[in-house]
Amino acid sequence: MNDSRETPSVYPFKVIAKLKSDFPDKFGIPRQSGLLKNMRSAIRFEPAFRVADALRGLEGFSHLWILWIFSENVRLDENGENRWSPTVRPPRLGGNKRLGVFATRSSFRPNPLAMSCVKIEEIRPNVTDGDYCGPEIIVSGADLMDGTPIVDIKPYLPYADSVPDALGGFAEAVRKRHVQVEFPEALAASAGFPPEKRETLIEILSEDPRPAYQKDPERVYGFKFASFEVKFKVQDDVLTVVDVI
């Protein structure tokens, strides 16, 4: 029997929350969630969803799935449709090899949706901070830029969501690439960089934020973190922070 019912081609989404983090720009953000254990962020809800009862029972879970929008990478065509390509060049592979978009976590997708698994550090039922008043979830391990729109959160279920013998494809070959970080305490102190964020920044830099195709040892890179601009060089797998503004 044929099912004559038609499903809509477009479904509306509501932004339920936004992330408050130390990353105002895309560069420097961890490439995947869960890599930076010490970095804290906050999920703050939009006015219609600032209802503490909506979080009832969440305290029994240790981790969350965050479903969010690649808001900085939405590219619309002349018809208002999101532009996408069936193949992409993952920066982690040097930007020279094309792979199918559905074999990657590229931000340039038919629908600019992403998901991240984060650890729940604290659930605050009522927070007042400037113009914000409502519940807040403090999480660690988020790979989202400050202000990123979130369309849903769901509890992580260890018995269903964990697959210990799963294969990681091409990502396995590059996931362990790290650099040694030199960030002098004297430089951090002279710039007034918060001591409690220094280890987090070192953890971020050890992942080597550069695209794999950029290898110039004389080039000075920079990104913004926690209201500071961090400048660094990389030579022979040693990343040196040269200035903090």
Side-chain angles (χ1 to χ4, degrees):
M1 183 178 71
N2 292 329
D3 190 343
S4 60
R5 293 175 298 176
E6 293 186 3
T7 58
S9 59
V10 176
Y11 288 85
F13 282 90
K14 293 182 179 179
V15 175
I16 67 163
K18 292 181 180 177
L19 193 85
K20 180 177 176 60
S21 80
D22 283 327
F23 284 105
D25 301 314
K26 292 185 292 183
F27 187 70
I29 294 178
R31 293 179 174 88
Q32 301 294 340
S33 62
L35 295 179
L36 303 183
K37 309 298 183 184
N38 296 320
M39 189 172 68
R40 300 293 189 268
S41 306
I43 297 173
R44 290 189 169 182
F45 293 87
E46 293 295 277
F49 302 96
R50 293 175 188 175
V51 182
D53 279 348
L55 305 181
R56 186 187 301 169
L58 191 59
E59 67 277 0
F61 296 89
S62 65
H63 290 73
L64 276 180
W65 286 110
I66 301 178
L67 305 180
W68 50 280
I69 298 174
F70 285 116
S71 53
E72 293 299 300
N73 286 345
V74 175
R75 299 180 298 177
L76 301 180
D77 60 20
E78 61 277 5
N79 298 317
E81 300 286 340
N82 185 51
R83 290 184 294 161
W84 69 286
S85 171
T87 60
V88 295
R89 301 176 186 266
R92 202 64 166 167
L93 294 181
N96 298 315
K97 184 176 181 179
R98 281 197 172 274
L99 293 174
V101 64
F102 298 131
T104 75
R105 296 195 177 188
S106 168
S107 56
F108 298 105
R109 319 186 67 78
N111 294 302
L113 292 175
M115 62 180 186
S116 299
C117 183
V118 298
K119 183 180 179 183
I120 301 172
E121 298 291 344
E122 185 180 356
I123 299 173
R124 300 173 177 172
N126 190 19
V127 171
T128 300
D129 181 16
D131 295 334
Y132 185 82
C133 183
E136 175 184 77
I137 306 174
I138 304 298
V139 300
S140 60
D143 54 339
L144 289 71
M145 190 174 70
D146 185 53
T148 294
I150 297 170
V151 295
D152 205 0
I153 60 175
K154 299 176 183 288
Y156 176 91
L157 302 178
Y159 74 89
D161 294 343
S162 177
V163 186
D165 57 349
L167 300 178
F170 73 90
E172 288 293 330
V174 296
R175 72 183 182 94
K176 294 183 179 180
R177 193 183 84 188
H178 291 84
V179 293
Q180 176 185 334
V181 178
E182 295 185 355
F183 183 14
E185 290 188 23
L187 175 60
S190 65
F193 192 82
E196 68 275 12
K197 292 185 181 290
R198 183 171 175 271
E199 287 303 316
T200 300
L201 178 58
I202 290 175
E203 193 177 12
I204 294 166
L205 295 172
S206 71
E207 295 286 334
D208 193 354
R210 302 172 303 162
Y213 53 82
Q214 293 184 357
K215 298 291 187 181
D216 183 358
E218 297 303 317
R219 178 170 177 174
V220 176
Y221 301 86
F223 67 93
K224 295 179 181 178
F225 175 74
S227 301
F228 289 81
E229 185 172 3
V230 181
K231 295 183 177 295
F232 64 91
K233 287 184 175 183
V234 183
Q235 184 173 15
D236 298 330
D237 290 330
V238 177
L239 184 152
T240 304
V241 178
V242 296
D243 201 3
V244 179
I245 304 172

